[in-house]
Amino acid sequence: MEPKLTLVGAGPGDPELISLKGIKAIAKADVVLYDALVDESLLEYAPKEAIKIYVGKRAGQHSHSQDEIHKLIVDNALKHGHVVRLKGGDPFVFARGYEELAIAKAFGIKTESVIGISSVNLPGLYDIPLTLRGTNESFWVVTATTCKGELSKDVTLVAQSTATGIFLMGLGKLKVIVEAYRAHGKDKLPIAIISKGSRPDAQVIKTTMDNIVELAEKEQIKSPAIIVAGEVVGQELDQIKVDYLNQPLAYAIA
């Protein structure tokens, strides 16, 4: 028995948005430690005899501390062998994956990482591009809430730019995010909120900065949610002119 930790990104909710490599890792697990945002149907890929331990951390609910999770990783790897740490999204995008790798390595435990689809990619699932030719040249990914529970200072910097702003863990800071944009005259900037990722009960709302707070309250938008702000949000597929459709064919169809 060789102690091992494999970090696996489970994707943004839809169980089909996990990688094949991630599924193969789960199938070889002796122990699976899984998060609150992981679809539990993924546990079916684990061997029947594998130990499954819920280690979810959600606001307002009983949860494991990060230190407790570290202890579970080390203890189970040393006692049982292969631990798969199944995390929602990607283990290295505003997650604690690097810390979990570090603690395992400190105890001489072999480690492997299987990156996952991050919630940063969710807008594309709902036909919202992060970049669009002629509209913007970049996007910023910001955690709106710092580890101290404060608003990130980067929010103000994003609000000043032409970049698409993607705010994770920001629903509770929606009003101050909007204030940051409106302070720079962007009352009519398009904005969207994607709630509950790619799960069946996902919600998506689109409007402008001056209406988003009221609409989010009306629609009772819940966490987890990401906020997308920028001109790309206001684009509609039928507005995009595809010039080649009006051009003569360059070849003959037999």
Side-chain angles (χ1 to χ4, degrees):
M1 185 192 72
E2 180 183 27
K4 181 181 180 181
L5 168 67
T6 302
L7 287 180
V8 176
D14 184 340
E16 294 185 359
L17 290 179
I18 188 173
S19 67
L20 178 58
K21 190 169 185 177
I23 290 173
K24 288 181 176 180
I26 297 171
K28 296 178 181 178
D30 296 306
V31 180
V32 181
L33 305 179
Y34 63 100
D35 276 350
L37 299 180
V38 169
D39 191 301
E40 292 191 14
S41 67
L42 293 176
L43 300 178
E44 297 174 6
Y45 292 106
K48 289 184 179 180
E49 64 275 13
I51 301 168
K52 292 94 172 177
I53 303 174
Y54 174 78
V55 293
K57 293 190 293 184
R58 301 298 301 149
Q61 301 177 16
H62 173 73
S63 61
H64 289 74
S65 70
Q66 191 62 40
D67 285 342
E68 289 173 331
I69 293 173
H70 289 167
K71 189 175 188 303
L72 285 169
I73 288 172
V74 173
D75 289 352
N76 281 282
L78 295 178
K79 183 178 181 180
H80 299 291
H82 185 201
V83 173
V84 168
R85 177 71 172 98
L86 192 57
K87 300 173 72 69
D90 189 297
F92 300 105
V93 180
F94 296 123
R96 308 291 288 273
Y98 188 79
E99 297 170 46
E100 292 170 8
L101 282 182
I103 199 72
K105 289 184 177 181
F107 281 85
I109 298 169
K110 182 179 178 182
T111 64
E112 183 179 358
S113 299
V114 181
I115 58 175
I117 296 177
S118 168
S119 56
V120 172
N121 294 293
L122 276 173
L125 189 63
Y126 300 104
D127 297 332
I128 301 173
L130 298 184
T131 61
L132 186 64
R133 181 181 295 186
T135 301
N136 69 315
E137 294 79 39
S138 63
F139 60 88
W140 290 30
V141 183
V142 180
T143 173
T145 306
T146 69
C147 60
K148 296 181 180 180
E150 301 170 350
L151 182 72
S152 170
K153 294 180 180 179
D154 287 346
V155 171
T156 301
L157 297 176
V158 181
Q160 296 177 54
S161 75
T162 59
T164 300
I166 304 168
F167 302 96
L168 306 186
M169 297 172 284
L171 192 59
K173 297 284 192 297
L174 179 60
K175 289 183 179 180
V176 287
I177 290 172
V178 168
E179 288 171 5
Y181 275 89
R182 298 187 71 177
H184 292 88
K186 297 183 178 180
D187 299 68
K188 298 300 181 182
L189 187 73
I191 182 171
I193 301 178
I194 301 170
S195 170
K196 299 186 179 180
S198 55
R199 291 166 50 177
D201 57 346
Q203 286 179 278
V204 182
I205 59 172
K206 294 182 184 181
T207 184
T208 53
M209 282 291 168
D210 54 352
N211 292 320
I212 190 63
V213 173
E214 180 181 350
L215 182 60
E217 292 175 351
K218 177 183 177 182
E219 298 296 329
Q220 299 182 334
I221 299 298
K222 306 294 185 183
S223 294
I226 72 168
I227 300 166
V228 187
E231 294 294 346
V232 293
V233 176
Q235 300 291 336
E236 298 292 341
L237 291 177
D238 59 4
Q239 293 176 349
I240 306 300
K241 295 181 180 179
V242 186
D243 292 338
Y244 66 79
L245 290 179
N246 297 319
Q247 299 297 322
L249 293 177
Y251 55 90
I253 299 176

